[in-house]
């Protein structure tokens, strides 16, 4: 299994920027991305080919202004993420047989 982490910093001062921000945010929510923290979302995918397809969708929907980054990784790498403070992401959300570290 693979995970894609999408991080973004989009301007939203002007009306057009707010519309582009909402469109991008709604895309993430309606396409199975889970909230990790502000402006960081993750999605579980089956393999690298699906990740490439997902990245191509992000290229199509991402606003022109601002920054959008996608970090593909395998599930084991994602599980190694350490929460230094605050509430962490429950990886059991992705799979019942995954042990949360």
């Amino acid at each position: 299994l693979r995970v894609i982490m999408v991080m973004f910093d989009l301007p939203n001062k002007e009306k057009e920027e707010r519309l582009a921000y909402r469109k991008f945010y709604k895309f993430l929510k309606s396409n199975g991305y889970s909230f990790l923290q502000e402006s960081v979302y993750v999605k579980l995918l089956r393999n690298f080919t699906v990740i490439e397809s997902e990245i191509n969708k992000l290229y199509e929907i991402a606003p022109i202004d601002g920054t959008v980054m996608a970090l593909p990784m395998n599930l084991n790498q994602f599980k190694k993420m350490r929460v230094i403070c605050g509430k962490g992401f429950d990886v059991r959300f992705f799979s019942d047989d995954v042990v949360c570290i």
Side-chain angles (χ1 to χ4, degrees):
L1 293 174
R2 304 286 182 175
V3 175
I4 185 170
M5 182 183 298
V6 176
M7 302 155 281
F8 59 94
D9 183 13
L10 301 175
N12 57 11
K13 292 181 182 176
E14 303 296 325
K15 182 179 180 180
E16 299 81 21
E17 294 171 339
R18 287 190 299 272
L19 290 171
Y21 178 93
R22 281 195 298 272
K23 181 179 177 183
F24 185 73
Y25 171 79
K26 287 180 180 181
F27 168 82
L28 294 177
K29 296 300 285 180
S30 66
N31 282 281
Y33 285 85
S34 300
F35 177 82
L36 185 62
Q37 71 177 48
E38 186 177 345
S39 299
V40 181
Y41 287 78
V42 293
K43 183 177 181 179
L44 182 67
L45 299 165
R46 292 185 181 188
N47 56 46
F48 186 72
T49 303
V50 178
I51 283 183
E52 285 302 311
S53 173
E54 197 68 25
I55 289 173
N56 288 334
K57 291 178 194 175
L58 290 167
Y59 274 115
E60 292 174 13
I61 194 71
I64 295 171
D65 295 325
T67 302
V68 176
M69 296 177 281
L71 177 62
M73 65 188 90
N74 64 46
L75 185 56
N76 287 331
Q77 290 169 321
F78 182 74
K79 287 170 33 181
K80 290 179 182 179
M81 180 172 44
R82 298 294 187 253
V83 178
I84 306 304
C85 66
K87 184 179 179 183
F89 184 82
D90 188 356
V91 295
R92 291 177 295 177
F93 175 77
F94 283 158
S95 175
D96 290 338
D97 62 346
V98 176
V99 176
C100 187
I101 297 174

Short mmCIF file of all heavy atoms in Angstrom, two decimals, residues 3-48:
data_model
loop_
_atom_site.label_atom_id
_atom_site.label_comp_id
_atom_site.label_asym_id
_atom_site.label_seq_id
_atom_site.Cartn_x
_atom_site.Cartn_y
_atom_site.Cartn_z
N VAL A 3 0.91 5.73 0.30
CA VAL A 3 0.28 6.92 0.84
C VAL A 3 0.77 8.11 0.04
O VAL A 3 1.94 8.18 -0.31
CB VAL A 3 0.63 7.12 2.33
CG1 VAL A 3 0.06 8.42 2.87
CG2 VAL A 3 0.15 5.94 3.16
N ILE A 4 -0.13 9.02 -0.25
CA ILE A 4 0.28 10.29 -0.84
C ILE A 4 -0.08 11.38 0.16
O ILE A 4 -1.19 11.42 0.68
CB ILE A 4 -0.36 10.53 -2.22
CG1 ILE A 4 0.18 11.81 -2.85
CG2 ILE A 4 -1.88 10.56 -2.14
CD1 ILE A 4 -0.20 12.00 -4.30
N MET A 5 0.89 12.23 0.45
CA MET A 5 0.67 13.35 1.35
C MET A 5 0.69 14.62 0.49
O MET A 5 1.64 14.85 -0.26
CB MET A 5 1.78 13.42 2.41
CG MET A 5 1.59 14.53 3.41
SD MET A 5 2.94 14.65 4.62
CE MET A 5 2.82 13.09 5.44
N VAL A 6 -0.37 15.39 0.60
CA VAL A 6 -0.48 16.64 -0.16
C VAL A 6 -0.41 17.80 0.82
O VAL A 6 -1.17 17.87 1.79
CB VAL A 6 -1.80 16.70 -0.96
CG1 VAL A 6 -1.95 18.04 -1.66
CG2 VAL A 6 -1.85 15.55 -1.96
N MET A 7 0.54 18.70 0.57
CA MET A 7 0.75 19.88 1.39
C MET A 7 0.55 21.10 0.52
O MET A 7 1.03 21.12 -0.62
CB MET A 7 2.16 19.87 1.98
CG MET A 7 2.46 18.63 2.80
SD MET A 7 4.21 18.22 2.89
CE MET A 7 4.46 17.43 1.31
N PHE A 8 -0.16 22.08 1.03
CA PHE A 8 -0.40 23.26 0.20
C PHE A 8 -0.42 24.54 1.01
O PHE A 8 -0.73 24.54 2.20
CB PHE A 8 -1.70 23.11 -0.61
CG PHE A 8 -2.94 22.90 0.22
CD1 PHE A 8 -3.73 23.97 0.58
CD2 PHE A 8 -3.31 21.63 0.63
CE1 PHE A 8 -4.88 23.80 1.32
CE2 PHE A 8 -4.45 21.43 1.37
CZ PHE A 8 -5.25 22.51 1.73
N ASP A 9 -0.05 25.61 0.33
CA ASP A 9 -0.11 26.96 0.87
C ASP A 9 -0.68 27.82 -0.25
O ASP A 9 0.04 28.15 -1.20
CB ASP A 9 1.28 27.41 1.30
CG ASP A 9 1.28 28.78 1.95
OD1 ASP A 9 0.18 29.29 2.29
OD2 ASP A 9 2.36 29.37 2.11
N LEU A 10 -1.95 28.12 -0.15
CA LEU A 10 -2.63 28.84 -1.22
C LEU A 10 -3.11 30.20 -0.72
O LEU A 10 -3.65 30.30 0.38
CB LEU A 10 -3.83 28.03 -1.72
CG LEU A 10 -3.51 26.64 -2.25
CD1 LEU A 10 -4.80 25.90 -2.61
CD2 LEU A 10 -2.60 26.72 -3.45
N PRO A 11 -2.92 31.23 -1.54
CA PRO A 11 -3.43 32.55 -1.15
C PRO A 11 -4.95 32.54 -1.15
O PRO A 11 -5.58 31.81 -1.93
CB PRO A 11 -2.86 33.48 -2.23
CG PRO A 11 -2.65 32.60 -3.41
CD PRO A 11 -2.32 31.24 -2.87
N ASN A 12 -5.55 33.34 -0.27
CA ASN A 12 -7.01 33.42 -0.26
C ASN A 12 -7.51 34.80 0.18
O ASN A 12 -8.52 34.91 0.87
CB ASN A 12 -7.61 32.31 0.60
CG ASN A 12 -7.10 32.31 2.02
OD1 ASN A 12 -6.45 33.25 2.44
ND2 ASN A 12 -7.41 31.26 2.75
N LYS A 13 -6.79 35.83 -0.24
CA LYS A 13 -7.20 37.19 0.10
C LYS A 13 -8.21 37.73 -0.90
O LYS A 13 -9.20 38.35 -0.51
CB LYS A 13 -5.98 38.10 0.17
CG LYS A 13 -5.06 37.79 1.33
CD LYS A 13 -3.87 38.72 1.38
CE LYS A 13 -2.97 38.32 2.55
NZ LYS A 13 -1.76 39.13 2.60
N GLU A 14 -7.97 37.52 -2.16
CA GLU A 14 -8.87 38.02 -3.21
C GLU A 14 -9.98 37.01 -3.46
O GLU A 14 -9.84 35.82 -3.18
CB GLU A 14 -8.08 38.27 -4.50
CG GLU A 14 -6.92 39.22 -4.36
CD GLU A 14 -7.36 40.63 -4.00
OE1 GLU A 14 -8.44 41.05 -4.46
OE2 GLU A 14 -6.63 41.29 -3.24
N LYS A 15 -11.08 37.48 -4.02
CA LYS A 15 -12.24 36.62 -4.28
C LYS A 15 -11.87 35.43 -5.17
O LYS A 15 -12.25 34.29 -4.88
CB LYS A 15 -13.36 37.42 -4.92
CG LYS A 15 -14.60 36.62 -5.17
CD LYS A 15 -15.72 37.44 -5.78
CE LYS A 15 -16.94 36.58 -6.02
NZ LYS A 15 -18.04 37.35 -6.60
N GLU A 16 -11.11 35.68 -6.23
CA GLU A 16 -10.72 34.61 -7.15
C GLU A 16 -9.83 33.57 -6.45
O GLU A 16 -9.93 32.37 -6.70
CB GLU A 16 -9.98 35.17 -8.38
CG GLU A 16 -10.80 36.12 -9.22
CD GLU A 16 -10.83 37.54 -8.67
OE1 GLU A 16 -9.93 37.91 -7.87
OE2 GLU A 16 -11.77 38.28 -9.00
N GLU A 17 -8.95 34.07 -5.55
CA GLU A 17 -8.09 33.17 -4.81
C GLU A 17 -8.89 32.29 -3.85
O GLU A 17 -8.63 31.09 -3.72
CB GLU A 17 -7.04 33.97 -4.02
CG GLU A 17 -6.05 34.70 -4.89
CD GLU A 17 -5.17 35.65 -4.11
OE1 GLU A 17 -5.53 36.05 -2.98
OE2 GLU A 17 -4.08 36.00 -4.62
N ARG A 18 -9.90 32.88 -3.20
CA ARG A 18 -10.75 32.11 -2.29
C ARG A 18 -11.53 31.05 -3.05
O ARG A 18 -11.69 29.92 -2.58
CB ARG A 18 -11.70 33.03 -1.52
CG ARG A 18 -10.99 33.85 -0.44
CD ARG A 18 -11.98 34.56 0.46
NE ARG A 18 -12.83 35.50 -0.23
CZ ARG A 18 -12.54 36.76 -0.47
NH1 ARG A 18 -11.38 37.26 -0.07
NH2 ARG A 18 -13.40 37.55 -1.09
N LEU A 19 -12.00 31.38 -4.24
CA LEU A 19 -12.73 30.41 -5.06
C LEU A 19 -11.81 29.25 -5.46
O LEU A 19 -12.21 28.09 -5.40
CB LEU A 19 -13.31 31.08 -6.31
CG LEU A 19 -14.47 32.05 -6.07
CD1 LEU A 19 -14.81 32.80 -7.36
CD2 LEU A 19 -15.68 31.30 -5.54
N ALA A 20 -10.58 29.57 -5.87
CA ALA A 20 -9.63 28.53 -6.26
C ALA A 20 -9.26 27.67 -5.05
O ALA A 20 -9.15 26.44 -5.18
CB ALA A 20 -8.38 29.17 -6.86
N TYR A 21 -9.10 28.30 -3.90
CA TYR A 21 -8.78 27.56 -2.67
C TYR A 21 -9.91 26.57 -2.34
O TYR A 21 -9.66 25.40 -2.06
CB TYR A 21 -8.58 28.54 -1.52
CG TYR A 21 -8.29 27.88 -0.19
CD1 TYR A 21 -6.98 27.67 0.22
CD2 TYR A 21 -9.32 27.46 0.64
CE1 TYR A 21 -6.70 27.07 1.43
CE2 TYR A 21 -9.05 26.85 1.86
CZ TYR A 21 -7.74 26.66 2.25
OH TYR A 21 -7.47 26.05 3.43
N ARG A 22 -11.15 27.06 -2.36
CA ARG A 22 -12.30 26.19 -2.04
C ARG A 22 -12.44 25.05 -3.04
O ARG A 22 -12.74 23.92 -2.66
CB ARG A 22 -13.58 27.01 -1.97
CG ARG A 22 -13.73 27.76 -0.66
CD ARG A 22 -15.13 28.27 -0.45
NE ARG A 22 -15.57 29.24 -1.44
CZ ARG A 22 -15.36 30.54 -1.36
NH1 ARG A 22 -14.70 31.05 -0.35
NH2 ARG A 22 -15.81 31.35 -2.30
N LYS A 23 -12.19 25.34 -4.31
CA LYS A 23 -12.27 24.29 -5.32
C LYS A 23 -11.24 23.19 -5.06
O LYS A 23 -11.55 22.00 -5.13
CB LYS A 23 -12.07 24.89 -6.72
CG LYS A 23 -12.16 23.90 -7.84
CD LYS A 23 -11.96 24.58 -9.19
CE LYS A 23 -11.98 23.56 -10.31
NZ LYS A 23 -11.73 24.17 -11.62
N PHE A 24 -10.02 23.59 -4.73
CA PHE A 24 -8.97 22.63 -4.45
C PHE A 24 -9.29 21.83 -3.18
O PHE A 24 -9.18 20.61 -3.16
CB PHE A 24 -7.62 23.35 -4.30
CG PHE A 24 -6.46 22.41 -4.11
CD1 PHE A 24 -5.98 21.67 -5.18
CD2 PHE A 24 -5.85 22.27 -2.88
CE1 PHE A 24 -4.91 20.79 -5.02
CE2 PHE A 24 -4.79 21.40 -2.70
CZ PHE A 24 -4.32 20.66 -3.78
N TYR A 25 -9.72 22.52 -2.13
CA TYR A 25 -10.09 21.87 -0.88
C TYR A 25 -11.23 20.87 -1.09
O TYR A 25 -11.18 19.75 -0.60
CB TYR A 25 -10.48 22.94 0.15
CG TYR A 25 -11.08 22.38 1.40
CD1 TYR A 25 -10.28 21.82 2.39
CD2 TYR A 25 -12.46 22.40 1.60
CE1 TYR A 25 -10.83 21.30 3.55
CE2 TYR A 25 -13.01 21.88 2.75
CZ TYR A 25 -12.19 21.33 3.72
OH TYR A 25 -12.75 20.80 4.86
N LYS A 26 -12.24 21.26 -1.82
CA LYS A 26 -13.37 20.36 -2.09
C LYS A 26 -12.93 19.15 -2.91
O LYS A 26 -13.42 18.05 -2.71
CB LYS A 26 -14.50 21.10 -2.81
CG LYS A 26 -15.26 22.04 -1.90
CD LYS A 26 -16.36 22.75 -2.64
CE LYS A 26 -17.11 23.69 -1.72
NZ LYS A 26 -18.21 24.37 -2.42
N PHE A 27 -11.98 19.35 -3.83
CA PHE A 27 -11.44 18.23 -4.59
C PHE A 27 -10.81 17.20 -3.64
O PHE A 27 -11.06 16.00 -3.74
CB PHE A 27 -10.41 18.70 -5.61
CG PHE A 27 -9.60 17.58 -6.21
CD1 PHE A 27 -10.11 16.85 -7.26
CD2 PHE A 27 -8.36 17.24 -5.70
CE1 PHE A 27 -9.39 15.79 -7.81
CE2 PHE A 27 -7.63 16.19 -6.23
CZ PHE A 27 -8.16 15.46 -7.29
N LEU A 28 -9.99 17.68 -2.71
CA LEU A 28 -9.34 16.77 -1.77
C LEU A 28 -10.37 16.00 -0.95
O LEU A 28 -10.30 14.78 -0.84
CB LEU A 28 -8.40 17.54 -0.85
CG LEU A 28 -7.17 18.20 -1.49
CD1 LEU A 28 -6.39 18.98 -0.45
CD2 LEU A 28 -6.29 17.17 -2.17
N LYS A 29 -11.33 16.71 -0.39
CA LYS A 29 -12.34 16.08 0.46
C LYS A 29 -13.20 15.08 -0.31
O LYS A 29 -13.50 14.01 0.19
CB LYS A 29 -13.23 17.13 1.12
CG LYS A 29 -12.50 18.05 2.08
CD LYS A 29 -11.85 17.32 3.22
CE LYS A 29 -12.85 16.87 4.23
NZ LYS A 29 -12.28 16.16 5.37
N SER A 30 -13.57 15.41 -1.52
CA SER A 30 -14.46 14.53 -2.30
C SER A 30 -13.71 13.37 -2.96
O SER A 30 -14.34 12.45 -3.48
CB SER A 30 -15.21 15.33 -3.35
OG SER A 30 -14.32 15.85 -4.31
N ASN A 31 -12.37 13.40 -2.91
CA ASN A 31 -11.59 12.34 -3.53
C ASN A 31 -10.86 11.47 -2.51
O ASN A 31 -9.85 10.84 -2.82
CB ASN A 31 -10.59 12.93 -4.54
CG ASN A 31 -11.28 13.29 -5.84
OD1 ASN A 31 -11.56 12.42 -6.65
ND2 ASN A 31 -11.62 14.56 -6.00
N GLY A 32 -11.36 11.44 -1.28
CA GLY A 32 -10.87 10.50 -0.30
C GLY A 32 -9.65 10.90 0.50
O GLY A 32 -9.04 10.06 1.16
N TYR A 33 -9.27 12.16 0.46
CA TYR A 33 -8.14 12.61 1.27
C TYR A 33 -8.59 12.83 2.71
O TYR A 33 -9.70 13.28 2.96
CB TYR A 33 -7.55 13.91 0.70
CG TYR A 33 -6.73 13.70 -0.54
CD1 TYR A 33 -7.34 13.64 -1.79
CD2 TYR A 33 -5.36 13.54 -0.47
CE1 TYR A 33 -6.59 13.44 -2.94
CE2 TYR A 33 -4.60 13.35 -1.61
CZ TYR A 33 -5.22 13.30 -2.84
OH TYR A 33 -4.46 13.10 -3.96
N SER A 34 -7.71 12.51 3.63
CA SER A 34 -7.99 12.68 5.06
C SER A 34 -7.14 13.80 5.62
O SER A 34 -5.97 13.94 5.29
CB SER A 34 -7.67 11.39 5.82
OG SER A 34 -8.45 10.32 5.33
N PHE A 35 -7.74 14.57 6.50
CA PHE A 35 -7.08 15.69 7.16
C PHE A 35 -5.97 15.18 8.08
O PHE A 35 -6.21 14.31 8.91
CB PHE A 35 -8.13 16.47 7.96
CG PHE A 35 -7.59 17.61 8.76
CD1 PHE A 35 -7.36 18.83 8.16
CD2 PHE A 35 -7.34 17.47 10.11
CE1 PHE A 35 -6.88 19.90 8.90
CE2 PHE A 35 -6.86 18.53 10.85
CZ PHE A 35 -6.63 19.74 10.24
N LEU A 36 -4.77 15.68 7.90
CA LEU A 36 -3.66 15.35 8.79
C LEU A 36 -3.41 16.53 9.73
O LEU A 36 -3.31 16.37 10.93
CB LEU A 36 -2.41 15.00 7.99
CG LEU A 36 -1.20 14.53 8.76
CD1 LEU A 36 -1.49 13.24 9.51
CD2 LEU A 36 -0.02 14.31 7.83
N GLN A 37 -3.29 17.71 9.15
CA GLN A 37 -3.20 18.96 9.89
C GLN A 37 -3.50 20.07 8.90
O GLN A 37 -3.70 19.79 7.72
CB GLN A 37 -1.85 19.15 10.56
CG GLN A 37 -0.71 19.43 9.61
CD GLN A 37 0.59 19.69 10.36
OE1 GLN A 37 0.95 18.94 11.24
NE2 GLN A 37 1.28 20.75 10.01
N GLU A 38 -3.54 21.30 9.36
CA GLU A 38 -3.91 22.39 8.47
C GLU A 38 -3.06 22.39 7.20
O GLU A 38 -1.83 22.35 7.26
CB GLU A 38 -3.74 23.73 9.19
CG GLU A 38 -4.25 24.89 8.38
CD GLU A 38 -4.15 26.21 9.12
OE1 GLU A 38 -3.97 26.19 10.35
OE2 GLU A 38 -4.27 27.24 8.45
N SER A 39 -3.74 22.34 6.07
CA SER A 39 -3.12 22.35 4.74
C SER A 39 -2.29 21.12 4.43
O SER A 39 -1.43 21.14 3.55
CB SER A 39 -2.28 23.62 4.54
OG SER A 39 -3.09 24.76 4.64
N VAL A 40 -2.52 20.02 5.15
CA VAL A 40 -1.84 18.75 4.88
C VAL A 40 -2.88 17.63 4.91
O VAL A 40 -3.57 17.44 5.91
CB VAL A 40 -0.72 18.45 5.91
CG1 VAL A 40 -0.03 17.14 5.58
CG2 VAL A 40 0.28 19.59 5.96
N TYR A 41 -2.98 16.92 3.79
CA TYR A 41 -3.95 15.84 3.66
C TYR A 41 -3.24 14.59 3.15
O TYR A 41 -2.23 14.68 2.47
CB TYR A 41 -5.06 16.24 2.68
CG TYR A 41 -6.00 17.26 3.29
CD1 TYR A 41 -5.66 18.59 3.39
CD2 TYR A 41 -7.24 16.86 3.78
CE1 TYR A 41 -6.52 19.51 3.96
CE2 TYR A 41 -8.10 17.77 4.35
CZ TYR A 41 -7.74 19.10 4.44
OH TYR A 41 -8.59 20.00 5.02
N VAL A 42 -3.78 13.42 3.50
CA VAL A 42 -3.20 12.15 3.08
C VAL A 42 -4.28 11.26 2.48
O VAL A 42 -5.46 11.38 2.80
CB VAL A 42 -2.51 11.42 4.25
CG1 VAL A 42 -1.29 12.17 4.72
CG2 VAL A 42 -3.46 11.16 5.39
N LYS A 43 -3.83 10.36 1.61
CA LYS A 43 -4.73 9.41 0.98
C LYS A 43 -4.00 8.09 0.79
O LYS A 43 -2.84 8.07 0.39
CB LYS A 43 -5.20 9.95 -0.38
CG LYS A 43 -6.20 9.05 -1.08
CD LYS A 43 -6.69 9.68 -2.38
CE LYS A 43 -7.71 8.81 -3.06
NZ LYS A 43 -8.20 9.45 -4.31
N LEU A 44 -4.69 7.01 1.10
CA LEU A 44 -4.15 5.67 0.92
C LEU A 44 -4.47 5.19 -0.49
O LEU A 44 -5.62 5.31 -0.95
CB LEU A 44 -4.77 4.72 1.94
CG LEU A 44 -4.27 3.28 1.92
CD1 LEU A 44 -2.80 3.22 2.34
CD2 LEU A 44 -5.12 2.41 2.82
N LEU A 45 -3.45 4.69 -1.18
CA LEU A 45 -3.63 4.20 -2.55
C LEU A 45 -3.00 2.82 -2.68
O LEU A 45 -2.16 2.43 -1.87
CB LEU A 45 -2.99 5.19 -3.54
CG LEU A 45 -3.61 6.59 -3.51
CD1 LEU A 45 -2.72 7.58 -4.22
CD2 LEU A 45 -4.99 6.57 -4.13
N ARG A 46 -3.39 2.10 -3.71
CA ARG A 46 -2.96 0.71 -3.85
C ARG A 46 -1.54 0.53 -4.34
O ARG A 46 -0.84 -0.36 -3.89
CB ARG A 46 -3.90 -0.03 -4.80
CG ARG A 46 -5.25 -0.19 -4.21
CD ARG A 46 -6.12 -1.01 -5.08
NE ARG A 46 -7.44 -1.08 -4.44
CZ ARG A 46 -8.39 -1.83 -4.84
NH1 ARG A 46 -8.22 -2.59 -5.90
NH2 ARG A 46 -9.54 -1.84 -4.22
N ASN A 47 -1.10 1.35 -5.30
CA ASN A 47 0.23 1.14 -5.87
C ASN A 47 0.76 2.43 -6.48
O ASN A 47 0.09 3.45 -6.52
CB ASN A 47 0.21 0.01 -6.92
CG ASN A 47 -0.79 0.26 -8.01
OD1 ASN A 47 -0.88 1.35 -8.56
ND2 ASN A 47 -1.58 -0.75 -8.35
N PHE A 48 1.99 2.36 -6.96
CA PHE A 48 2.65 3.54 -7.50
C PHE A 48 1.95 4.08 -8.75
O PHE A 48 1.89 5.29 -8.97
CB PHE A 48 4.12 3.22 -7.82
CG PHE A 48 4.90 4.43 -8.24
CD1 PHE A 48 5.24 5.40 -7.31
CD2 PHE A 48 5.28 4.61 -9.55
CE1 PHE A 48 5.95 6.52 -7.68
CE2 PHE A 48 6.00 5.73 -9.93
CZ PHE A 48 6.34 6.69 -8.99
#
